[in-house]
């Protein structure tokens, strides 16, 4: 869909509703996507399949991996989400930053030429409001890895990467990168502990089970309940 047609459609609530309906039907048919009431998925969002979008959730300008889902009320924008990732209710992405040091004022009129409030006192940009995209395509400002669990009411600042296997505790504010298989919590979020030993984490990151064919995952699914047994079985395969 080219930009001019998209603008015409988005300018009309009636046309937007019709197009969104058929867009959802197409996603259901092709990718086995499930939607609850008032769930929204933007036209440019890429789904790998078997995704679920709960009531009043929204995802736009993003990519979501196989088996991942959004719980109710979650709002995701400009994010790349890995496979088998669980995102809890009322999670949101926060965009835009203000200077907190050196600058006399935090108001954008003193550092931004983008005029977010309609005016500016500067002729050149003096502070980076938005971090550069985190992916090679230049599309996504937030990276959420594979097999990540994000609890309820979490806020994620743009420019952040959350590593594979990480867990974000409810009500956390994630303003820094989260290492793989690390549990973080708090405002701002800080490491609480690692989920596994260093050798087990290295094993899982090398294995990348989420990239395996689904037949392989099904065959080994009974062993996912015990990391030591799982590792032993895989090493003996």
């Amino acid at each position: 869909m080219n930009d001019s047609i998209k603008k015409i459609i988005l300018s009309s609530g009636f046309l937007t509703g019709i197009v969104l309906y058929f867009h959802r039907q197409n996603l259901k048919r092709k990718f086995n996507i499930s939607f609850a009431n008032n769930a929204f998925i933007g036209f440019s969002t890429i789904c790998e399949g078997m995704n679920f979008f709960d009531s009043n959730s929204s995802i736009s300008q993003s990519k979501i991996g196989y088996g991942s889902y959004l719980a109710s009320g979650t709002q995701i924008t400009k994010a790349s989400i890995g496979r088998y990732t669980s995102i809890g209710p009322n999670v949101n992405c926060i965009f835009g930053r203000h200077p907190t040091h050196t600058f006399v004022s935090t108001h954008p009129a003193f550092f931004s030429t983008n005029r977010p409030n309609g005016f500016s006192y500067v002729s050149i940009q003096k502070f980076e409001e938005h971090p550069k995209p985190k992916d090679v395509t230049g599309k996504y400002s937030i990276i959420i890895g594979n097999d990540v669990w994000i609890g309820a009411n979490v806020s994620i600042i743009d420019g952040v990467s959350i590593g594979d296997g990480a867990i974000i505790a409810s009500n956390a504010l994630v303003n820094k990168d989260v290492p793989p298989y690390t549990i973080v919590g708090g405002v701002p979020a800080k490491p609480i502990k690692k989920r596994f030993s260093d050798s087990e984490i290295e094993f899982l990151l090398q294995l990348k089970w989420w990239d395996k064919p689904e037949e392989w995952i099904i065959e080994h699914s009974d062993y996912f309940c015990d990391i030591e047994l799982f590792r032993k079985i895989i090493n003996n395969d």
Side-chain angles (χ1 to χ4, degrees), residues 40 45 57-63 70 73-81 87 91-93 95 142 144 150 156:
F40 172 82
T45 293
S57 64
S58 172
I59 184 168
S60 60
Q61 303 177 64
S62 298
K63 178 175 67 174
L70 308 184
T74 284
Q75 310 287 314
I76 299 293
T77 305
K78 293 184 178 179
S80 173
I81 303 169
I87 301 183
V91 173
N92 70 95
C93 304
F95 294 91
I142 294 171
I144 301 172
I150 300 178
I156 306 170

Side-chain angles (χ1 to χ4, degrees), residues 57-133:
S57 64
S58 172
I59 184 168
S60 60
Q61 303 177 64
S62 298
K63 178 175 67 174
I64 183 166
Y66 189 89
S68 296
Y69 66 88
L70 308 184
S72 61
T74 284
Q75 310 287 314
I76 299 293
T77 305
K78 293 184 178 179
S80 173
I81 303 169
R83 297 171 177 171
Y84 298 96
T85 282
S86 308
I87 301 183
N90 303 313
V91 173
N92 70 95
C93 304
I94 300 175
F95 294 91
R97 300 183 180 187
H98 294 243
T100 57
H101 302 287
T102 307
F103 279 76
V104 174
S105 173
T106 60
H107 196 282
F110 296 97
F111 63 81
S112 174
T113 58
N114 293 322
R115 301 174 183 268
N117 57 314
F119 70 98
S120 178
Y121 296 135
V122 297
S123 58
I124 60 171
Q125 189 74 17
K126 293 190 174 184
F127 179 78
E128 188 179 74
E129 299 171 82
H130 303 283
K132 295 178 181 178

